[in-house]
Amino acid sequence: MNIKKQIIGALITSSLLVGCGSKYTNAKLDKDFDVDAQLNYCVNQTTEALKQIPEEGSIPRNIAPDSKQWRYVDYTDWTSGFWSGELWYLYEATGNQNWATAADKFTNYLAPLSVSPALDHDLGFQVFNSYGNGYRITKNPEYKSVLLKTADTLATLYNPKVGTILSWPREVPNMEWPQHNTIMDNMINLELLFWASKNGGSKKLYDMAVSHATVTMNNHFRPDYTSYHVVIYDKETGKKIKAVTHQGYSDSSMWARGQSWAIYGYTMVYRETKDPKFLDFAHKVTRVYLDRLPKDLIPYWDFDDPMIPKAPRDASAAVVVASALLELSTYTQDAVLAKEYFDKAEAMLKELSEHYQSRDKNTALLLHSTGHKPAGSEIDYSIIYADYYYVEALLRYKKMKEGEQPLLTYKFN
Ligand code: GLY
């Protein structure tokens, strides 16, 4: 960490860790939204969650609405990298070595992923959030080696005839296996390929990521820029067979988290390529999402669920978008648009902090996320990826309020 970061870290540590529950205030920050108080909350909750983890290899995934108890998974689960990623962010926020020690321990649980065959596209979520954040902060060469190996593993799922990564290399209902499926969520995994191509890996990884983003842009969206969750392609000819949902309300609906992956994904692809067509596209997929949000800016799990306003919310989509909006606000010359993005991200974080925090209900950070409603799974839960992006968004917000650009060396330049 550079000197400035160390000073900021030391300041926050004194309040966030050495005395749990004590408030850290900074006169430079917006009086309306005390981001340090929210980070302080995240530190306290996560300290408690850490104490409860029962055994080696267990990684927190979710808490049911009527429970205080985390359900744990092992490193093979698609969500396995969010917990250690959250711990790395708390190290970044506090500079307290205890967080780095914990983050390192949970990061290393995922090591086998780099030397196993690719079971699906989620390798990017798993390894980039854990090892990627760890390497960004510590420059540990062992982390770099895992990242490079995993990028090559992820690349084995790339089909050059289609031009995208195969998301689920297995039979999934309605996905026409053994044809080629690609899901919107897969956009986030491109970040690992971009990083590897610029840090000692093959340049082909960059080309694969650009092709995936381009083919997805051309096939995965309706004329109004809302996204399909899944597109099936003929694996030999690359021709689009059909576009359907898996986790959304219907094939023609806007599944909230799917759209949030598109917003975050195209913002990241623009950062990595500087190609204006991806920036233009990021603005378009963002516009339709923002224009259709409810007043409080937290989406229902699917924008087209006829049960709205009685449908469950998805706080996870809200934090993914809040984090992406902060970044996207820095890429536009249009001051009015930049302000709209920043103000909406701030309003989302305020709303989540005031009305969605878990507090005395459980040791997660946020309530009210929805994982897979059609499967009846994780409806109105606390889910680890919501917590991860919440801390990420709070950190981005804090750095921007302090006038510090970039927040994250390769994740937010
Ligand atoms: N990537 C799976 C999900 O967003 O639920």
Side-chain angles (χ1 to χ4, degrees):
M1 277 196 273
N2 64 27
I3 300 262
K4 190 164 181 188
K5 274 189 171 169
Q6 283 175 3
I7 293 168
I8 293 169
L11 280 171
I12 302 177
T13 302
S14 59
S15 60
L16 292 189
L17 267 179
V18 178
C20 282
S22 61
K23 292 253 168 34
Y24 169 77
T25 50
N26 180 334
K28 279 186 290 184
L29 297 176
D30 189 329
K31 284 195 205 73
D32 289 347
F33 182 58
D34 186 350
V35 67
D36 282 331
Q38 312 318 323
L39 285 167
N40 190 43
Y41 161 80
C42 296
V43 163
N44 291 341
Q45 292 285 106
T46 310
T47 300
E48 290 308 308
L50 201 50
K51 285 184 203 157
Q52 292 174 13
I53 297 181
E55 62 200 33
E56 286 292 305
S58 298
I59 300 170
R61 167 155 178 163
N62 62 42
I63 307 178
D66 51 359
S67 171
K68 284 186 178 296
Q69 183 57 51
W70 281 99
R71 182 173 78 81
Y72 299 98
V73 291
D74 70 13
Y75 73 91
T76 59
D77 190 87
W78 85 270
T79 65
S80 61
F82 292 112
W83 170 248
S84 42
E86 182 184 323
L87 300 178
W88 283 120
Y89 280 144
L90 292 179
Y91 175 51
E92 189 167 23
T94 63
N96 185 306
Q97 190 57 36
N98 291 341
W99 290 113
T101 304
D104 174 69
K105 172 179 150 179
F106 287 95
T107 293
N108 285 322
Y109 287 178
L110 277 66
L113 292 173
S114 67
V115 289
S116 317
L119 293 180
D120 69 29
H121 69 117
D122 287 323
L123 282 171
F125 277 110
Q126 291 167 303
V127 169
F128 205 60
N129 295 337
S130 53
Y131 284 94
N133 277 308
Y135 182 70
R136 176 174 61 79
I137 293 168
T138 66
K139 296 289 177 278
N140 178 340
E142 285 170 23
Y143 294 173
K144 182 174 184 179
S145 159
V146 169
L147 286 161
L148 289 172
K149 275 192 251 169
T150 311
D152 287 341
T153 306
L154 178 58
T156 62
L157 295 177
Y158 182 77
N159 177 340
K161 292 173 184 157
V162 177
T164 70
I165 291 163
L166 173 64
S167 297
W168 297 319
R170 58 181 174 273
E171 179 85 53
V172 174
N174 195 29
M175 300 301 149
E176 316 267 339
W177 183 253
Q179 299 299 353
H180 181 97
N181 61 68
T182 296
I183 71 171
M184 184 46 61
D185 329 26
N186 206 144
M187 286 296 299
I188 309 302
N189 296 304
L190 305 183
E191 198 170 8
L192 172 64
L193 301 185
F194 281 124
W195 177 88
S197 73
K198 295 172 187 177
N199 287 275
S202 165
K203 300 291 166 252
K204 285 187 189 145
L205 300 172
Y206 182 94
D207 298 337
M208 287 178 193
V210 170
S211 171
H212 184 110
T214 307
V215 173
T216 299
M217 188 167 77
N218 294 338
N219 291 289
H220 236 102
F221 293 85
R222 307 179 186 96
D224 64 356
Y225 303 104
T226 60
S227 60
Y228 295 104
H229 187 193
V230 192
V231 173
I232 310 296
Y233 302 92
D234 184 301
K235 69 186 170 75
E236 298 302 335
T237 65
K239 203 166 162 288
K240 181 172 170 176
I241 297 173
K242 66 179 185 182
V244 291
T245 197
H246 182 66
Q247 282 167 254
Y249 173 74
S250 75
D251 292 346
S252 58
S253 68
M254 178 159 70
W255 175 47
R257 201 167 49 262
Q259 196 72 14
S260 80
W261 295 140
I263 293 167
Y264 194 105
Y266 281 98
T267 301
M268 175 274 294
V269 171
Y270 172 68
R271 178 214 312 150
E272 297 300 333
T273 61
K274 293 289 175 271
D275 184 334
K277 76 169 179 279
F278 293 127
L279 179 59
D280 178 59
F281 202 68
H283 287 309
K284 285 174 168 147
V285 297
T286 299
R287 186 78 268 150
V288 62
Y289 175 98
L290 292 179
D291 285 353
R292 291 187 57 192
L293 277 176
K295 257 205 173 104
D296 62 9
L297 303 180
I298 311 301
Y300 294 93
W301 75 283
D302 190 298
F303 283 71
D304 297 296
D305 183 345
M307 289 303 288
I308 290 172
K310 292 197 173 139
R313 302 281 186 147
D314 185 12
S316 75
V319 276
V320 170
V321 171
S323 186
L325 280 180
L326 291 171
E327 178 171 4
L328 191 54
S329 74
T330 69
Y331 297 151
T332 176
Q333 304 302 314
D334 178 341
V336 174
L337 188 61
K339 182 164 166 26
E340 181 196 348
Y341 287 165
F342 186 87
D343 288 352
K344 286 203 167 135
E346 181 182 63
M348 288 169 194
L349 290 175
K350 273 187 194 173
E351 175 65 21
L352 289 161
S353 300
E354 281 167 20
H355 298 120
Y356 284 72
Q357 286 184 347
S358 304
R359 301 255 157 211
D360 51 355
K361 293 207 168 68
N362 66 46
T363 61
L365 304 182
L366 294 176
L367 303 167
H368 308 312
S369 291
T370 297
H372 191 337
K373 182 149 185 313
S377 162
E378 296 182 315
I379 300 168
D380 201 31
Y381 272 47
S382 292
I383 308 182
I384 192 63
Y385 43 85
D387 290 2
Y388 170 87
Y389 286 104
Y390 182 52
V391 182
E392 178 181 285
L394 290 172
L395 273 172
R396 287 182 171 190
Y397 176 87
K398 178 177 165 63
K399 296 281 178 170
M400 289 176 77
K401 290 300 268 190
E402 289 170 344
E404 203 180 302
Q405 166 90 309
L407 160 63
L408 306 166
T409 51
Y410 54 71
K411 292 198 77 171
F412 194 23
N413 252 319

